[in-house]
PDB file of all heavy atoms in Angstrom:
ATOM      1  N   PHE A  84      18.445  12.467   6.087  1.00 96.00           N
ATOM      2  CA  PHE A  84      18.612  11.826   7.405  1.00 96.00           C
ATOM      3  C   PHE A  84      19.199  12.846   8.381  1.00 96.00           C
ATOM      4  O   PHE A  84      18.703  12.995   9.505  1.00 96.00           O
ATOM      5  CB  PHE A  84      19.510  10.594   7.300  1.00 96.00           C
ATOM      6  CG  PHE A  84      19.886  10.027   8.623  1.00 96.00           C
ATOM      7  CD1 PHE A  84      19.011   9.153   9.311  1.00 96.00           C
ATOM      8  CD2 PHE A  84      21.118  10.313   9.220  1.00 96.00           C
ATOM      9  CE1 PHE A  84      19.342   8.606  10.513  1.00 96.00           C
ATOM     10  CE2 PHE A  84      21.455   9.769  10.430  1.00 96.00           C
ATOM     11  CZ  PHE A  84      20.587   8.931  11.107  1.00 96.00           C
ATOM     12  N   ALA A  85      20.339  13.487   7.991  1.00 95.00           N
ATOM     13  CA  ALA A  85      21.039  14.369   8.903  1.00 95.00           C
ATOM     14  C   ALA A  85      20.186  15.578   9.283  1.00 95.00           C
ATOM     15  O   ALA A  85      20.063  15.929  10.469  1.00 95.00           O
ATOM     16  CB  ALA A  85      22.341  14.838   8.262  1.00 95.00           C
ATOM     17  N   GLU A  86      19.577  16.234   8.288  1.00 92.00           N
ATOM     18  CA  GLU A  86      18.821  17.452   8.557  1.00 92.00           C
ATOM     19  C   GLU A  86      17.555  17.171   9.339  1.00 92.00           C
ATOM     20  O   GLU A  86      17.132  17.953  10.222  1.00 92.00           O
ATOM     21  CB  GLU A  86      18.474  18.158   7.270  1.00 92.00           C
ATOM     22  CG  GLU A  86      19.726  18.736   6.582  1.00 92.00           C
ATOM     23  CD  GLU A  86      19.369  19.377   5.225  1.00 92.00           C
ATOM     24  OE1 GLU A  86      18.202  19.304   4.825  1.00 92.00           O
ATOM     25  OE2 GLU A  86      20.321  19.840   4.560  1.00 92.00           O
ATOM     26  N   THR A  87      16.912  16.030   9.061  1.00 93.00           N
ATOM     27  CA  THR A  87      15.643  15.705   9.752  1.00 93.00           C
ATOM     28  C   THR A  87      15.910  15.323  11.194  1.00 93.00           C
ATOM     29  O   THR A  87      15.172  15.761  12.094  1.00 93.00           O
ATOM     30  CB  THR A  87      14.950  14.541   9.035  1.00 93.00           C
ATOM     31  OG1 THR A  87      14.744  14.853   7.663  1.00 93.00           O
ATOM     32  CG2 THR A  87      13.587  14.253   9.703  1.00 93.00           C
ATOM     33  N   THR A  88      16.981  14.612  11.452  1.00 94.00           N
ATOM     34  CA  THR A  88      17.280  14.243  12.870  1.00 94.00           C
ATOM     35  C   THR A  88      17.792  15.451  13.649  1.00 94.00           C
ATOM     36  O   THR A  88      17.453  15.593  14.818  1.00 94.00           O
ATOM     37  CB  THR A  88      18.332  13.125  12.939  1.00 94.00           C
ATOM     38  OG1 THR A  88      19.496  13.452  12.157  1.00 94.00           O
ATOM     39  CG2 THR A  88      17.725  11.801  12.398  1.00 94.00           C
ATOM     40  N   LYS A  89      18.569  16.328  13.015  1.00 92.00           N
ATOM     41  CA  LYS A  89      19.008  17.567  13.673  1.00 92.00           C
ATOM     42  C   LYS A  89      17.793  18.461  14.014  1.00 92.00           C
ATOM     43  O   LYS A  89      17.751  19.047  15.081  1.00 92.00           O
ATOM     44  CB  LYS A  89      20.028  18.311  12.794  1.00 92.00           C
ATOM     45  CG  LYS A  89      21.366  17.658  12.743  1.00 92.00           C
ATOM     46  CD  LYS A  89      22.314  18.447  11.807  1.00 92.00           C
ATOM     47  CE  LYS A  89      22.651  19.825  12.380  1.00 92.00           C
ATOM     48  NZ  LYS A  89      23.643  20.532  11.553  1.00 92.00           N
ATOM     49  N   LYS A  90      16.903  18.499  13.099  1.00 89.00           N
ATOM     50  CA  LYS A  90      15.656  19.258  13.338  1.00 89.00           C
ATOM     51  C   LYS A  90      14.807  18.605  14.423  1.00 89.00           C
ATOM     52  O   LYS A  90      14.208  19.265  15.282  1.00 89.00           O
ATOM     53  CB  LYS A  90      14.851  19.342  12.034  1.00 89.00           C
ATOM     54  CG  LYS A  90      13.526  20.093  12.161  1.00 89.00           C
ATOM     55  CD  LYS A  90      12.855  20.076  10.811  1.00 89.00           C
ATOM     56  CE  LYS A  90      11.493  20.694  10.855  1.00 89.00           C
ATOM     57  NZ  LYS A  90      10.793  20.661   9.529  1.00 89.00           N
ATOM     58  N   GLY A  91      14.819  17.261  14.443  1.00 87.00           N
ATOM     59  CA  GLY A  91      14.080  16.511  15.416  1.00 87.00           C
ATOM     60  C   GLY A  91      14.524  16.748  16.862  1.00 87.00           C
ATOM     61  O   GLY A  91      13.733  16.736  17.772  1.00 87.00           O
ATOM     62  N   ILE A  92      15.798  17.038  17.049  1.00 89.00           N
ATOM     63  CA  ILE A  92      16.340  17.297  18.384  1.00 89.00           C
ATOM     64  C   ILE A  92      15.564  18.481  19.006  1.00 89.00           C
ATOM     65  O   ILE A  92      15.217  18.489  20.191  1.00 89.00           O
ATOM     66  CB  ILE A  92      17.832  17.632  18.306  1.00 89.00           C
ATOM     67  CG1 ILE A  92      18.595  16.350  17.958  1.00 89.00           C
ATOM     68  CG2 ILE A  92      18.319  18.163  19.662  1.00 89.00           C
ATOM     69  CD1 ILE A  92      20.106  16.566  17.811  1.00 89.00           C
ATOM     70  N   HIS A  93      15.302  19.524  18.227  1.00 83.00           N
ATOM     71  CA  HIS A  93      14.697  20.743  18.752  1.00 83.00           C
ATOM     72  C   HIS A  93      13.177  20.820  18.557  1.00 83.00           C
ATOM     73  O   HIS A  93      12.578  21.836  18.872  1.00 83.00           O
ATOM     74  CB  HIS A  93      15.293  21.983  18.025  1.00 83.00           C
ATOM     75  CG  HIS A  93      16.792  22.099  18.191  1.00 83.00           C
ATOM     76  ND1 HIS A  93      17.367  22.650  19.304  1.00 83.00           N
ATOM     77  CD2 HIS A  93      17.814  21.695  17.374  1.00 83.00           C
ATOM     78  CE1 HIS A  93      18.684  22.617  19.155  1.00 83.00           C
ATOM     79  NE2 HIS A  93      18.989  22.045  18.020  1.00 83.00           N
ATOM     80  N   LEU A  94      12.586  19.748  18.040  1.00 80.00           N
ATOM     81  CA  LEU A  94      11.214  19.801  17.615  1.00 80.00           C
ATOM     82  C   LEU A  94      10.274  20.188  18.716  1.00 80.00           C
ATOM     83  O   LEU A  94       9.393  21.073  18.558  1.00 80.00           O
ATOM     84  CB  LEU A  94      10.797  18.529  16.970  1.00 80.00           C
ATOM     85  CG  LEU A  94       9.724  18.583  15.882  1.00 80.00           C
ATOM     86  CD1 LEU A  94      10.078  19.652  14.834  1.00 80.00           C
ATOM     87  CD2 LEU A  94       9.588  17.261  15.205  1.00 80.00           C
ATOM     88  N   ILE A  95      10.367  19.520  19.852  1.00 77.00           N
ATOM     89  CA  ILE A  95       9.446  19.847  20.965  1.00 77.00           C
ATOM     90  C   ILE A  95       9.708  21.283  21.433  1.00 77.00           C
ATOM     91  O   ILE A  95       8.757  22.004  21.697  1.00 77.00           O
ATOM     92  CB  ILE A  95       9.673  18.865  22.172  1.00 77.00           C
ATOM     93  CG1 ILE A  95       9.224  17.450  21.742  1.00 77.00           C
ATOM     94  CG2 ILE A  95       8.870  19.270  23.373  1.00 77.00           C
ATOM     95  CD1 ILE A  95       9.368  16.393  22.815  1.00 77.00           C
ATOM     96  N   HIS A  96      10.961  21.618  21.564  1.00 73.00           N
ATOM     97  CA  HIS A  96      11.274  22.982  22.102  1.00 73.00           C
ATOM     98  C   HIS A  96      10.820  24.054  21.122  1.00 73.00           C
ATOM     99  O   HIS A  96      10.249  25.069  21.527  1.00 73.00           O
ATOM    100  CB  HIS A  96      12.797  23.077  22.288  1.00 73.00           C
ATOM    101  CG  HIS A  96      13.216  24.295  23.038  1.00 73.00           C
ATOM    102  ND1 HIS A  96      13.554  25.466  22.388  1.00 73.00           N
ATOM    103  CD2 HIS A  96      13.349  24.571  24.364  1.00 73.00           C
ATOM    104  CE1 HIS A  96      13.841  26.366  23.270  1.00 73.00           C
ATOM    105  NE2 HIS A  96      13.762  25.841  24.484  1.00 73.00           N
ATOM    106  N   SER A  97      11.014  23.841  19.805  1.00 70.00           N
ATOM    107  CA  SER A  97      10.658  24.859  18.823  1.00 70.00           C
ATOM    108  C   SER A  97       9.115  24.970  18.621  1.00 70.00           C
ATOM    109  O   SER A  97       8.656  25.999  18.204  1.00 70.00           O
ATOM    110  CB  SER A  97      11.337  24.576  17.511  1.00 70.00           C
ATOM    111  OG  SER A  97      10.922  23.329  16.933  1.00 70.00           O
ATOM    112  N   LYS A  98       8.423  23.878  18.916  1.00 70.00           N
ATOM    113  CA  LYS A  98       6.965  23.886  18.760  1.00 70.00           C
ATOM    114  C   LYS A  98       6.269  23.975  20.103  1.00 70.00           C
ATOM    115  O   LYS A  98       5.073  23.614  20.238  1.00 70.00           O
ATOM    116  CB  LYS A  98       6.519  22.614  18.043  1.00 70.00           C
ATOM    117  CG  LYS A  98       7.115  22.397  16.670  1.00 70.00           C
ATOM    118  CD  LYS A  98       6.742  23.484  15.702  1.00 70.00           C
ATOM    119  CE  LYS A  98       7.331  23.218  14.309  1.00 70.00           C
ATOM    120  NZ  LYS A  98       7.021  24.306  13.354  1.00 70.00           N
TER     121      LYS A  98
END
Side-chain angles (χ1 to χ4, degrees):
F84 172 83
E86 292 176 1
T87 306
T88 53
K89 286 179 66 175
K90 178 181 176 181
I92 291 177
H93 301 278
L94 209 50
I95 293 180
H96 191 269
S97 63
K98 301 297 182 182

